[in-house]
Amino acid sequence: MTIETDAPPAPKAPIKPKKLEIHGHTRVDDYFWLRDKDDPEVIAYIEAENAYTQACMDHTAGLQETLYQEMVGRIQESDKEAPVPRDEFWYYSRTEAGKQYPIFCRTTGSSQAPEEVLLDLNALAAGKPYLRLGIYKPSPDHRLLAYSLDEDGSENYAMYFKNLETGDLLPDVLEGTSYSGEWANDNRTFFYTTKDPAWRDYRLHRHILREDQEDDLLLYEEADALFEISLQKTRDKAFIFLNLKSLETSEIRFLDANHPRESLRLLQERRQGIEYGADHHRGIFYIWTNQDAKNFQIVTAPVSRPGMESWQTHQAHDPQVKIDGLACFSGHLAIYMRKNGLKALAVQDLSTGTTHEVDFPEPVYTFRPGENPSFDTQFLRLTYASPITPDSDFDYDMVTRQWHLRKRKPVLGGFDPQDYEVVRLHAAAEDGAQIPISLFYRKGLRKDGSAPCLLYGYGAYGYSIEPGFNMNAFCLVDRGFVYAIAHIRGGQELGRDWYERGKFLHKKNTFTDFVACARHLINQKFTAPERLAIEGRSAGGLLIGAVLNLAPDLFKVAVAGVPFVDVVTTMLDESIPLTVGEFEEWGNPKDPVFYEYMHSYSPYDNLAPGRFPHILATSGLNDPRVQYWEPTKWVARLRRVQQGEGRVLLKTNMGAGHAGASGRYDYLREKAFEYAYILDSLGLTEG
């Protein structure tokens, strides 16, 4: 199908060949020059791409507005989260109709007491095109609030401190902070992290309120570029952990939260390939680790002798169950697991040692731990969801095993979960592995190949894509779509081995798994190639680029969000933010073996003349994670090799970063644009 528009000819990026030498090979990059965003020619080209995209999509303006209104019509615009008890206070956030950002509040004594507004992001965002909240942490005595703001999408945060009794800001402003920060128990010492020029969290600082930032003590600097640092307070508030992690190795240093001027102590020194995390319970560290346990086991050690030589097995390794983490309460241990491709939860009574697994009500579901600030409680806050069950905040009683619903996210517009069906399928990969696929659709779907389908995937870093509730997807599902998630290797849905078989020199499994899922949906008559859309973001954008090179005729339309498509060039440049740490995901291309393998799948390097489907790529000019030039170069080369009728569009957000628009309405505008592109490309613009 040819889509008729009055759009001008597509922009053509000038070709300026640059030779790149590596391992005796010469690569020629015609668009290397697009890296320099200080060059007016680069900005002019990106703006021309945006203008072309706008012109190509002008005829869908009505459809975009319809989709946007549908999305807004499903949300309860003025809403309130389930309050979370912290000491005598109840903390929550709420939204107001027409306002982009949440308002953070609390009450005293009960959740029904008069409201106190702590932070109104709408007021702080006035006159700014972008605002994102980083840290939001009340002090232990609840008199102060530490919060941080990013105003351009670069993930460079400024930290502020607010007196909650007077409403005034303290003079302290900490520039260049990151996502991590924790209060000491004295209510005047705050620990925070900062980044190096490659955007790696590497320094830990101690700030004393009302002192200058330049006087802050540097407590730790991580010299190994593979490692990043982060902060965590144990659930009983006894210790502050400095977590040091690469993608394959971890280390924890800790200090007493009641004595913030003491030195950091080592829990267990790093050993290559050994990962661990911990929590604390009355003088004992509970530790989950992959030491002699690929899917992790739980061990214990006394605080006085926390090293590996003191570790005692608490829960043995189970090759069928992956342990993701744990949380200590005064009387219970909550153990977060992954079993049969889904999240699972076990609760252990620490006084009796008895353990029970929690039963979940649907065969396909997910959950995440909610805020659980109280140590001395028998209630565990969880947020539960499924493809047809909206996010639901429960307090699970670890003693009586009863569920107490505190809040279910409202879905307006006549939503009824009984109108939909959820299915779990398995596709056979090239090597015989069974790849799970989660999908949902309206009941009554005709499985004759006539239905359109959107297939989503990621498959990297061990990050599992959960079958949760995607409210916006109902814009497609209610138009007859099948919405599907491919749980491909590279994630950890089926345990650690599932991840390891989708990284390093096994990375191509991720791409062939996704193709296998697409073919399975087609063979099972859920859809057909001319009705199949695919989507992925970031490393999922790499997935999209790779599968388009593998099987361009299998799909009708593809959306690649902030796609990591110029793999080799980026991984060869250690000055680019976050590159070095990713050597443990993709490999180091300075090693000829990894270089050859990486080069063999890199989407940008493997573009060849052919008939590609409709493709929309998005980027953020200030993105520190996937630099804007990767999708920009990819689109420029795609235009040169495209021999079919598929449109290739690039949409760059000139004032945002990796996550796109920060305001909730602006985000919905972006999503409506992407869905309009999919529907228009499939010829489904009616209704």
Side-chain angles (χ1 to χ4, degrees):
M1 178 186 70
T2 301
I3 298 177
E4 301 293 339
T5 72
D6 296 325
K12 291 185 178 180
I15 295 173
K16 301 179 182 181
K18 180 180 177 63
K19 292 183 178 180
L20 305 171
E21 304 286 343
I22 182 72
H23 302 310
H25 299 284
T26 299
R27 295 171 57 241
V28 177
D29 189 344
D30 293 332
Y31 301 112
F32 192 86
W33 65 276
L34 286 167
R35 291 165 57 106
D36 184 7
K37 71 176 178 180
D38 294 327
D39 182 349
E41 186 180 5
V42 171
I43 298 301
Y45 172 71
I46 294 173
E47 289 175 340
E49 285 283 5
N50 278 346
Y52 173 69
T53 295
Q54 183 62 45
C56 286
M57 293 293 288
D58 272 346
H59 69 286
T60 69
L63 175 60
Q64 291 180 52
E65 183 63 25
T66 296
L67 291 165
Y68 172 75
Q69 293 299 337
E70 287 179 11
M71 293 176 186
V72 173
R74 286 190 178 90
I75 65 175
Q76 186 163 300
E77 296 181 76
S78 295
D79 200 9
K80 176 181 172 181
E81 284 187 342
V84 175
R86 297 187 185 193
D87 300 324
E88 72 271 27
F89 296 93
W90 293 77
Y91 286 82
Y92 59 92
S93 69
R94 60 178 176 83
T95 55
E96 292 182 1
K99 293 185 177 181
Q100 295 269 24
Y101 299 98
I103 301 165
F104 293 84
C105 312
R106 72 182 179 189
T107 60
T108 306
S110 80
S111 60
Q112 305 304 314
E115 176 180 274
E116 177 186 359
V117 174
L118 307 182
L119 197 66
D120 184 349
L121 292 183
N122 300 285
L124 295 173
K128 300 181 177 72
Y130 185 97
L131 188 77
R132 194 169 293 276
L133 180 67
I135 289 170
Y136 174 83
K137 289 186 180 291
S139 60
D141 64 4
H142 304 277
R143 294 179 178 179
L144 300 170
L145 175 68
Y147 67 93
S148 62
L149 301 173
D150 169 14
E151 296 186 3
D152 64 5
S154 66
E155 302 181 36
N156 186 29
Y157 288 85
M159 178 81 67
Y160 304 91
F161 297 89
K162 185 176 182 179
N163 185 323
L164 297 179
E165 295 179 324
T166 67
D168 297 329
L169 286 177
L170 275 61
D172 313 56
V173 178
L174 309 181
E175 300 288 353
T177 66
S178 190
Y179 287 107
S180 211
E182 290 291 349
W183 288 97
N185 291 341
D186 65 359
N187 301 293
R188 64 186 299 262
T189 305
F190 193 82
F191 298 93
Y192 65 96
T193 62
T194 57
K195 297 179 179 293
D196 68 6
W199 227 243
R200 175 181 65 99
D201 276 26
Y202 80 126
R203 281 180 171 172
L204 170 65
H205 309 263
R206 185 180 69 201
H207 177 72
I208 308 299
L209 290 183
R210 300 188 183 278
E211 294 186 3
D212 291 336
Q213 185 177 11
E214 63 184 24
D215 296 326
D216 289 353
L217 181 66
L218 175 63
L219 286 180
Y220 185 86
E221 180 173 322
E222 176 53 54
D224 190 334
L226 286 174
F227 283 77
E228 288 199 73
I229 69 174
S230 64
L231 292 170
Q232 168 198 354
K233 207 169 190 180
T234 57
R235 296 206 58 267
D236 62 358
K237 312 299 188 294
F239 296 99
I240 294 174
F241 285 167
L242 175 65
N243 294 310
L244 304 107
K245 283 186 63 65
S246 74
L247 288 170
E248 296 195 323
T249 306
S250 56
E251 177 179 288
I252 293 176
R253 296 168 185 260
F254 63 97
L255 57 79
D256 188 330
N258 291 311
H259 299 91
R261 294 182 183 271
E262 292 185 354
S263 300
L264 290 162
R265 294 175 56 195
L266 183 64
L267 197 156
Q268 165 60 43
E269 67 179 355
R270 68 191 68 174
R271 296 186 183 181
Q272 177 59 36
I274 302 301
E275 298 179 69
Y276 71 91
D279 202 354
H280 174 256
H281 186 276
R282 296 174 181 162
I284 300 294
F285 285 135
Y286 283 78
I287 302 162
W288 65 99
T289 178
N290 67 345
Q291 168 71 8
D292 298 324
K294 176 172 280 193
N295 274 341
F296 289 71
Q297 62 174 323
I298 298 175
V299 299
T300 60
V303 171
S304 59
R305 294 177 288 105
M308 192 177 293
E309 67 279 358
S310 300
W311 289 3
Q312 298 292 318
T313 299
H314 182 79
Q315 179 167 315
H317 174 251
D318 182 341
Q320 303 304 315
V321 179
K322 165 77 165 55
I323 295 175
D324 287 336
L326 58 81
C328 293
F329 294 83
S330 60
H332 296 86
L333 186 67
I335 304 169
Y336 303 112
M337 307 177 296
R338 186 167 290 278
K339 187 176 181 180
N340 298 323
L342 295 167
K343 285 191 171 184
L345 171 65
V347 174
Q348 183 178 94
D349 186 318
L350 290 173
S351 63
T352 66
T354 58
T355 300
H356 71 270
E357 284 199 31
V358 176
D359 293 325
F360 292 94
E362 295 175 273
V364 178
Y365 66 90
T366 187
F367 73 88
R368 64 181 183 273
E371 287 191 70
N372 287 284
S374 299
F375 179 70
D376 189 13
T377 180
Q378 66 190 57
F379 294 103
L380 174 65
R381 176 67 59 89
L382 300 171
T383 299
Y384 172 89
S386 81
I388 58 173
T389 301
D391 288 7
S392 306
D393 294 326
F394 286 94
D395 282 339
Y396 178 75
D397 190 321
M398 294 183 282
V399 175
T400 68
R401 307 186 188 184
Q402 293 180 321
W403 293 79
H404 301 275
L405 179 64
R406 301 307 183 199
K407 167 79 174 183
R408 175 162 286 154
K409 191 171 186 177
V411 182
L412 308 183
F415 170 76
D416 184 347
Q418 298 303 314
D419 293 337
Y420 306 92
E421 187 169 354
V422 180
V423 175
R424 187 85 153 183
L425 304 176
H426 290 83
E430 289 185 351
D431 61 1
Q434 294 295 303
I435 315 301
I437 312 171
S438 300
L439 57 156
F440 79 103
Y441 46 85
R442 286 192 72 91
K443 289 180 178 177
L445 180 84
R446 293 172 56 191
K447 297 176 187 174
D448 59 3
S450 63
C453 175
L454 176 59
L455 177 62
Y456 185 90
Y458 187 74
Y461 305 109
Y463 181 77
S464 301
I465 301 297
E466 302 296 339
F469 190 78
N470 183 346
M471 190 183 298
N472 297 327
F474 287 90
C475 286
L476 299 180
V477 173
D478 286 344
R479 285 174 168 81
F481 271 72
V482 174
Y483 187 91
I485 300 170
H487 301 288
I488 50 185
R489 283 174 285 190
Q492 261 178 151
E493 284 90 338
L494 294 177
R496 181 71 180 189
D497 190 58
W498 201 247
Y499 169 39
E500 293 180 351
R501 290 163 65 193
K503 66 180 294 191
F504 285 147
L505 300 177
H506 304 291
K507 186 62 203 170
K508 291 181 184 178
N509 283 337
T510 301
F511 315 136
T512 55
D513 285 359
F514 190 84
V515 171
C517 290
R519 295 194 189 281
H520 188 70
L521 291 173
I522 292 167
N523 292 338
Q524 295 298 308
K525 302 296 184 182
F526 281 99
T527 190
E530 63 271 19
R531 297 175 181 84
L532 180 54
I534 57 174
E535 181 184 8
R537 288 184 55 83
S538 194
L542 161 63
L543 167 71
I544 298 302
V547 301
L548 288 175
N549 288 340
L550 284 174
D553 58 340
L554 199 60
F555 318 105
K556 184 67 175 180
V557 55
V559 176
V562 290
F564 175 44
V565 284
D566 191 16
V567 181
V568 175
T569 306
T570 291
M571 294 304 298
L572 282 169
D573 188 348
E574 296 182 15
S575 70
I576 293 175
L578 308 176
T579 291
V580 174
E582 307 236 328
F583 288 163
E584 291 189 340
E585 176 72 19
W586 317 101
N588 187 342
K590 293 182 178 63
D591 180 332
V593 174
F594 281 110
Y595 171 83
E596 293 292 346
Y597 188 79
M598 201 177 294
H599 188 269
S600 72
Y601 68 73
S602 174
Y604 179 69
D605 292 289
N606 287 280
L607 280 172
R611 299 177 63 85
F612 290 90
H614 301 296
I615 299 170
L616 170 64
T618 66
S619 74
L621 191 64
N622 299 325
D623 190 343
R625 298 181 180 273
V626 176
Q627 304 292 323
Y628 74 90
W629 64 72
E630 295 204 35
T632 305
K633 290 167 56 177
W634 184 55
V635 164
R637 182 170 282 181
L638 268 166
R639 291 249 178 76
R640 283 175 54 193
V641 301
Q642 172 67 290
Q643 294 180 339
E645 297 175 343
R647 298 170 301 175
V648 179
L649 301 184
L650 173 67
K651 187 174 187 286
T652 302
N653 190 321
M654 305 299 282
H658 198 64
S662 58
R664 60 173 177 159
Y665 294 107
D666 291 341
Y667 169 77
L668 293 180
R669 290 282 184 194
E670 288 188 347
K671 185 54 64 176
F673 181 93
E674 294 173 9
Y675 281 1
Y677 181 82
I678 292 171
L679 289 165
D680 189 45
S681 298
L682 294 175
L684 300 172
T685 56
E686 300 297 325

